[in-house]
Amino acid sequence: MRDGIGALLGRIESTFKLRHIGIGFVWAWLYCVYGTPTPFDTTGVSINADGSWVVSAAAVVVAFFVGGFAFRHERVKPRSPLPILAPLALSLGTLFSFLGSVMGEVAVVSGGVLTGVGYALTSILWAMALAPVDIEELEAAIPLSTLVTLVCALIIPALQTEVAAVVIAALPLVSGALLIVCFRKDGVASMPDAASGAQAGLVSEEARQGESGHRLDRAWMRYLLRVSVLLLVIYLAIGWEAANFSSSNTFRVLNYDLVSLVSNSAAVLFAILLVLFSKRVSFSGLFRWVMPFLVVSLALFLLPGSFVRFGTSVINSTCDTLIEVLLFLFVLSLAKTHDASAGLCIGLANGFVQAGVLAGNLLGRFSASAAAPFDLQTMGLALIALIALAMIAIPQKDPVVDDPSTAGSSLAVDSVDEALARACLRIQERYGLSDRETEIAVLLAKGRTRPYIREQLFISTNTVATHIKHIYQKLNIHSKEELIDMVNSEASSK
C-alpha cells in the first residue's frame, strides 16, 4: 500500500510541485477568518461580522494598489525579508483580531491593518514567485490549491476556539515557508531580458517569444483595467449579497457549515473542468461561465424560503472561490505570455476586487437600514441589470500586439520548420496519424508546450492531451523528448 501511495504522490509531483499550492494556505486563511464560526463568532457568511473588517478591507485595497505598483518591475532580492514579514503580519493580525475583546480597540485596529497589508503583500509575492513556473504546471497547481480550504472547512469547526485561532494564525506561516522555497527553487521573481532569462530558466518559452519590455503595453493595460472594472462590478454584487445574509440562514450539521463544504468542493471541480475545457486562458474564456451563475444567485436571493437561501449561498460562495482561482491563473498567464509584471497585474486586479467587496458590504448595510430610499428587491434588481451589462462588456478577444523581435529571423526559422514538417508528414504516412495529430506533432517537434498548442489551435487542454496520447500510442513512444528525437532523425535521414 505504501508503494501505491508513493507512486500516486510521484505522479502528482511530476505534474506540479507540491510547493506551488502554497497560495492555497492564504485562501484557506481568508475562508477561516470570514467563513467559520470560530474563533471570531461570525455568522459564517458575511465579511462584516468582525469589528476590524472595515479597517482590514480598506487596508487591503490600498496595499494591493500600492504593492502592485511598487513591485511592477518584479525585483525581489534573494535574501529579502518580505517573504517572511508579509505572512508574519497576516498571522499577527489574526491573533490581534482574536484578542480584540481583551486588548481593546487598539488591537482591533492593529489586527485590521496587519491582516489587510499582510494578505495583499503575500498574494503579490505569490504571484511573483509563481511567475517563472510553466503555465502547464500552474493549471494543475492553482485549482488544486483550493483543496487546502476544503481540508480547513472539515477541521477548523471541530476545534476549540483557542486552538482554532492558533491553527488559523499558523496558515499564513505555512504559506510563507512554501513561498520562500518557491523563490529559492524556481528562481528570483524578476523578469530579465530574453537571453539571460533563458539561461537562468526563469522565462517561459511563450514569454521569450512575446518579449515586449518589462511592462504591459498600452493595449494590454487597457484590457487589464477593463477586466478589473468588471471584477469590481462582480464583487459589488457578491459583497452586497453577503452583507444582507442573515445569521438565521446559516446551515450547519454538527457545527459544520454545509454551504462552505458544498461550495468549496464545487469550486475545486469547476476550476479543474474550466481549465481542461476552456480553449484559452483568457478572461472571456474563463469568466463567461461564471457570471450567469451570479445573476441566478441574485435572482434567488430576492425569493423567500430557507432552501432558496441555501442555494443562493452555495452559488455565491462557489463563484467567489472559483473567481479567486481563475483570476490568479488568468493574471499569471497574462504576465507570462506578455512578459508583464505579475505583481502589478495581481495588484491591480485584486485591488479592484477588494474595492468591490468593501463597497458591496457598505452598500448592503445601508440598503438594509431604515434610512435607505430603496428596498432590497429594488437594489437586487439593479445589481442584476448591472451584472447583465457587465456580461456584455466582457472582452471577447485578447489584444493583438505585433512582436518586432521576430523580424529578420523568419528565413532561418522557416527552413528548419519546413524540414520538421516534411519529416512529420512522412511519419504520418508510415504510422497513420490523422491531420490534426500531425499538426500537433509538428508543434511538439518544435518544442512547443501544451498551453502554446492550445492557444495556437484554439482547442481545449483536454483535447490537446487526448491527441498527444494517441500520437504516443501510434508511434509507440512515451514522451515529448522521444518524439523530438524521432522527428529529428527522420528529418536528417532525407
Side-chain angles (χ1 to χ4, degrees):
M1 183 174 179
R2 288 183 179 179
D3 294 339
I5 295 175
L8 176 61
L9 292 175
R11 288 195 295 270
I12 294 175
E13 182 73 9
S14 66
T15 305
F16 72 97
K17 306 300 184 292
L18 293 178
R19 63 180 178 272
H20 295 156
I21 68 171
I23 184 63
F25 289 91
V26 179
W27 296 336
W29 171 88
L30 189 66
Y31 157 76
C32 289
V33 170
Y34 295 115
T36 56
T38 55
F40 303 99
D41 296 323
T42 70
T43 62
V45 177
S46 178
I47 195 173
N48 60 8
D50 179 60
S52 63
W53 82 270
V54 175
V55 178
S56 180
V60 76
V61 172
V62 175
F64 264 121
F65 285 128
V66 173
F69 279 100
F71 291 106
R72 62 188 180 276
H73 298 302
E74 302 200 50
R75 301 289 183 184
V76 174
K77 297 180 180 179
R79 298 186 181 276
S80 171
L82 279 175
I84 299 174
L85 295 179
L88 181 61
L90 195 54
S91 179
L92 291 176
T94 305
L95 294 177
F96 282 169
S97 296
F98 172 65
L99 297 173
S101 60
V102 178
M103 299 176 62
E105 192 68 23
V106 174
V108 171
V109 174
S110 300
V113 172
L114 286 173
T115 53
V117 174
Y119 174 73
L121 290 182
T122 303
S123 299
I124 291 172
L125 288 171
W126 264 113
M128 296 163 63
L130 294 176
V133 180
D134 186 80
I135 190 65
E136 190 173 357
E137 294 186 37
L138 296 179
E139 288 179 348
I142 293 178
L144 291 178
S145 296
T146 55
L147 289 174
V148 181
T149 303
L150 184 58
V151 171
C152 288
L154 292 170
I155 295 176
I156 297 296
L159 302 177
Q160 295 181 352
T161 300
E162 292 78 8
V163 177
V166 173
V167 172
I168 294 172
L171 291 174
L173 300 180
V174 176
S175 179
L178 294 174
L179 181 63
I180 294 173
V181 173
C182 282
F183 274 127
R184 291 181 177 177
K185 288 185 175 291
D186 298 315
V188 179
S190 61
M191 284 292 183
D193 56 64
S196 63
Q199 294 174 359
L202 301 182
V203 184
S204 67
E205 174 186 8
E206 292 84 350
R208 292 194 298 271
Q209 293 173 345
E211 179 87 29
S212 60
H214 301 311
R215 60 182 179 181
L216 285 175
D217 57 82
R218 291 182 179 180
W220 275 99
M221 181 58 75
R222 288 194 297 268
Y223 177 82
L224 180 60
L225 289 174
R226 185 178 176 184
V227 165
S228 298
V229 171
L230 293 175
L231 291 169
L232 176 68
V233 173
I234 290 172
Y235 274 89
L236 178 69
I238 290 178
W240 176 84
E241 191 173 332
N244 284 286
F245 194 91
S246 172
S247 60
S248 62
N249 289 316
T250 55
F251 302 90
R252 302 190 183 282
V253 174
L254 299 177
N255 206 36
Y256 285 98
D257 182 7
L258 294 182
V259 171
S260 296
L261 293 177
V262 174
S263 62
N264 279 291
S265 301
V268 174
L269 177 62
F270 287 149
I272 294 173
L273 291 177
L274 283 176
V275 168
L276 287 177
F277 294 103
S278 289
K279 294 182 179 179
R280 62 178 56 202
V281 184
S282 63
F283 190 85
S284 58
L286 295 176
F287 287 83
R288 63 192 175 94
W289 304 103
V290 177
M291 297 187 72
F293 287 100
L294 292 176
V295 174
V296 172
S297 174
L298 285 168
L300 290 176
F301 183 80
L302 303 179
L303 300 176
S306 58
F307 287 105
V308 173
R309 283 288 188 267
F310 178 78
T312 302
S313 302
V314 169
I315 294 174
N316 205 29
S317 184
T318 300
C319 287
D320 184 18
T321 304
L322 191 57
I323 290 173
E324 198 169 42
V325 173
L326 297 181
L327 177 60
F328 218 85
L329 183 59
F330 161 70
V331 165
L332 284 175
S333 175
L334 173 63
K336 290 174 68 64
T337 56
H338 295 275
D339 193 20
S341 165
L344 175 61
C345 291
I346 204 69
L348 281 177
N350 264 323
F352 279 97
V353 164
Q354 297 300 327
V357 171
L358 177 58
N361 273 267
L362 293 175
L363 180 63
R365 301 183 96 184
F366 174 72
S367 61
S369 66
F374 41 77
D375 55 21
L376 291 178
Q377 284 71 26
T378 302
M379 188 62 207
L381 291 173
L383 288 173
I384 290 176
L386 188 60
I387 290 290
L389 290 174
M391 290 174 63
I392 297 175
I394 291 178
Q396 298 300 312
K397 295 182 179 180
D398 296 344
V400 177
V401 180
D402 294 331
D403 183 10
S405 66
T406 60
S409 62
S410 59
L411 183 61
V413 173
D414 286 346
S415 63
V416 174
D417 290 351
E418 186 178 351
L420 292 177
R422 287 198 301 266
C424 287
L425 287 175
R426 291 193 295 270
I427 291 174
Q428 177 187 21
E429 294 176 359
R430 188 179 309 146
Y431 293 94
L433 299 180
S434 68
D435 290 341
R436 177 62 92 184
E437 290 168 353
T438 303
E439 191 175 15
I440 292 175
V442 171
L443 292 173
L444 289 172
K446 294 178 183 178
R448 306 306 191 197
T449 63
R450 296 189 186 196
Y452 180 91
I453 294 172
R454 177 181 63 187
E455 294 283 333
Q456 288 293 110
L457 303 184
F458 204 68
I459 55 180
S460 70
T461 298
N462 194 51
T463 303
V464 173
T466 300
H467 282 309
I468 292 177
K469 177 182 178 182
H470 292 163
I471 292 171
Y472 289 174
Q473 288 175 344
K474 291 181 180 180
L475 302 185
N476 193 27
I477 58 178
H478 304 90
S479 67
K480 178 180 175 180
E481 288 72 21
E482 289 184 68
L483 174 65
I484 293 175
D485 290 341
M486 176 181 289
V487 173
N488 285 337
S489 177
E490 181 68 28
S492 60
S493 65
K494 297 292 182 179

